Amino acid sequence: MIYMDNAATTLQKPEEVKQAVLMAMGTIGNAGRGASDAALAASRVVYGTREKLADFFYAESPNCIVFTANSTESLNIAVKGLFQPGDHVITTVLEHNSVLRPLYECQERGAVLTILGSDARGNISYREMEDAVRAETKAIVCTHASNLTGNMIDLERVGQIARKHDLLFVVDASQTAGVYPIDVQKLGIDVLCFTGHKSLLGPQGTGGMYVRQGVRIRPLLSGGSGVDTYNPHHPSQMPTALEAGTLNGHGIAGLGAAVDYLEATGLDKIREMELAFMRRFYEGISAIPGVKVYGDFSTDQRAPIVSFNLLDYDSSDVSDELDMKYGIVTRPGAHCAPLMHQALGTVEQGAVRFSFSHYNTLEEVDAAIKAVKELASE
């Protein structure tokens, strides 16, 4: 099998991650619930990973890091916990449904939504973004990179707009955390949502969010916290305020090991490899008759993703053929990115997405190019 669906989830994990999960399965109890050796071991794992992620994202404090199950949960907590009826929020057509659907729910309850369009290559206009700001604007919510085109949003420019107009800045880093360094303080990010199972190379069921000190988010869940038991309300101190119930300690142990691996290997090295694979594949298929590639490839400031269509074939048929005939795993369809497909005119056909990991090889990339050429010639 040649696995090129890493934008959905990374299949290959570092051996250190597997070993950390296995060890945790037999050694840790419930973090924050008692003072037994097992409970304390769990607390050390959780807090240790919190510290690692705080350093990884340049947060002010480990208490700014909240653990969740994935980016979807993080984004639901952020969006539903920040916005009230009457608030105006700016977002983009690049967004995943994990951003759009919670925002639509807020809109149904009285919030006002502006969705910025894109050009033919899937890029937004920062002038249009600033022009969309009005008196009642509360926040800008955007992805760091499209999971369909790989195009990136310039977080520094958006952060400057947000600071200039005293807006909250909420970022979905699902496709970039673990590929690009993200300095939340330098970029002016108030809330950063991330998942563990993609480029962070951690287990599924892990993720989290950075919340800037002083930003108050209404909890999505309430319940057991291990502290302040007789309080009828969920504790308000961070990060407990946004973490109700037992955490995924086993997964968090794996996530901590994944951060160690990324730091030891180096994001620059990982990104260089992944972008080299992406560029080789793009250049190998973009001139094939009948192949239409989507996105802006004029820069390597992008996620390692290439999405395309072959003539008028349904993307699912092409992806199935790649899998069954060549053993190449890709992702067809709509990719939970409905507005981006509308902007690109691919609603009916979808698109075939290749997304690369540093665990891929040049031989695999060349095999994928050859497969697309053969399918195009049939």
Side-chain angles (χ1 to χ4, degrees):
M1 177 177 64
I2 298 176
Y3 187 83
M4 293 182 170
D5 192 20
N6 294 282
T9 194
T10 49
L11 179 66
Q12 290 91 348
K13 309 290 186 183
E15 187 61 32
E16 298 92 324
V17 172
K18 303 173 190 176
Q19 291 302 317
V21 174
L22 183 61
M23 180 174 291
M25 292 287 285
T27 58
I28 70 169
N30 199 331
R33 274 69 170 178
S36 67
D37 289 344
L40 293 175
S43 294
R44 284 190 288 270
V45 165
V46 168
Y47 188 75
T49 303
R50 218 187 286 280
E51 285 186 309
K52 293 172 185 178
L53 288 166
D55 290 341
F56 193 75
F57 293 120
Y58 301 91
E60 309 95 285
S61 162
N63 289 339
C64 295
I65 301 297
V66 174
F67 288 113
T68 66
N70 43 53
S71 286
T72 299
E73 184 179 348
S74 298
L75 287 159
N76 271 266
I77 291 170
V79 170
K80 295 176 182 179
L82 286 172
F83 306 136
Q84 305 271 16
D87 288 341
H88 175 234
V89 181
I90 300 169
T91 191
T92 80
V93 296
L94 278 70
E95 308 309 316
H96 189 277
N97 273 334
S98 296
V99 172
L100 294 174
R101 285 174 172 166
L103 283 174
Y104 290 152
E105 290 181 36
C106 289
Q107 187 177 43
E108 291 170 358
R109 294 194 292 268
V112 181
L113 194 59
T114 293
I115 302 175
L116 300 176
S118 73
D119 63 18
R121 294 194 295 179
N123 293 314
I124 66 165
S125 165
Y126 298 97
R127 170 180 280 185
E128 289 180 7
M129 176 177 282
E130 186 157 17
D131 288 346
V133 177
R134 49 209 206 204
E136 65 272 25
T137 305
K138 178 76 174 288
I140 300 171
V141 182
C142 69
T143 187
H144 192 189
S146 166
N147 74 319
L148 174 57
T149 66
N151 290 7
M152 290 179 66
I153 287 179
D154 187 338
L155 296 186
E156 186 171 5
R157 291 186 67 177
V158 179
Q160 290 170 353
I161 295 170
R163 286 193 295 272
K164 178 180 177 181
H165 297 280
D166 195 25
L167 307 178
L168 291 171
F169 184 22
V170 180
V171 175
D172 173 11
S174 298
Q175 295 298 333
T176 55
V179 181
Y180 285 88
I182 301 173
D183 185 332
V184 291
Q185 295 189 73
K186 180 181 178 181
L187 295 171
I189 297 171
D190 295 291
V191 181
L192 181 80
C193 300
F194 58 90
T195 195
H197 70 101
K198 300 189 190 225
S199 294
L200 280 177
L201 303 177
Q204 294 180 2
T206 63
M209 55 198 302
Y210 156 82
V211 181
R212 179 176 60 79
Q213 288 181 340
V215 174
R216 306 300 299 178
I217 299 177
R218 295 185 305 278
L220 183 67
L221 301 174
S222 59
S225 60
V227 297
D228 209 7
T229 294
Y230 296 101
N231 186 346
H233 304 288
H234 197 74
S236 60
Q237 68 269 28
M238 287 286 288
T240 308
L242 302 179
E243 293 179 344
T246 296
L247 295 173
N248 178 8
H250 306 128
I252 290 170
L255 183 58
V259 174
D260 288 341
Y261 171 86
L262 292 169
E263 295 278 20
T265 306
L267 293 193
D268 290 346
K269 179 180 178 181
I270 290 171
R271 183 173 64 256
E272 181 180 340
M273 292 176 65
E274 294 180 355
L275 291 177
F277 295 148
M278 175 211 72
R279 181 64 60 181
R280 188 181 185 97
F281 181 73
Y282 167 74
E283 292 175 351
I285 71 162
S286 57
I288 298 173
V291 169
K292 183 176 182 179
V293 181
Y294 304 99
D296 185 353
F297 289 84
S298 64
T299 174
D300 274 345
Q301 283 292 306
R302 51 178 292 108
I305 290 170
V306 181
S307 294
F308 70 93
N309 274 315
L310 178 57
L311 298 172
D312 59 353
Y313 292 112
D314 187 275
S315 61
S316 294
D317 293 337
V318 175
S319 185
D320 285 347
E321 192 75 2
L322 286 166
D323 187 9
M324 292 184 292
K325 188 173 181 179
Y326 301 97
I328 300 172
V329 178
T330 61
R331 170 76 188 278
H335 312 92
C336 301
L339 300 186
M340 195 72 258
H341 277 284
Q342 289 176 22
L344 296 174
T346 52
V347 171
E348 297 301 324
Q349 193 175 13
V352 181
R353 183 184 69 191
F354 282 71
S355 47
F356 302 92
S357 164
H358 71 296
Y359 283 113
N360 287 125
T361 66
L362 287 175
E363 291 75 17
E364 290 179 333
V365 174
D366 289 342
I369 294 169
K370 181 181 179 183
V372 175
K373 287 181 177 177
E374 290 182 2
L375 289 180
S377 66
E378 291 180 357

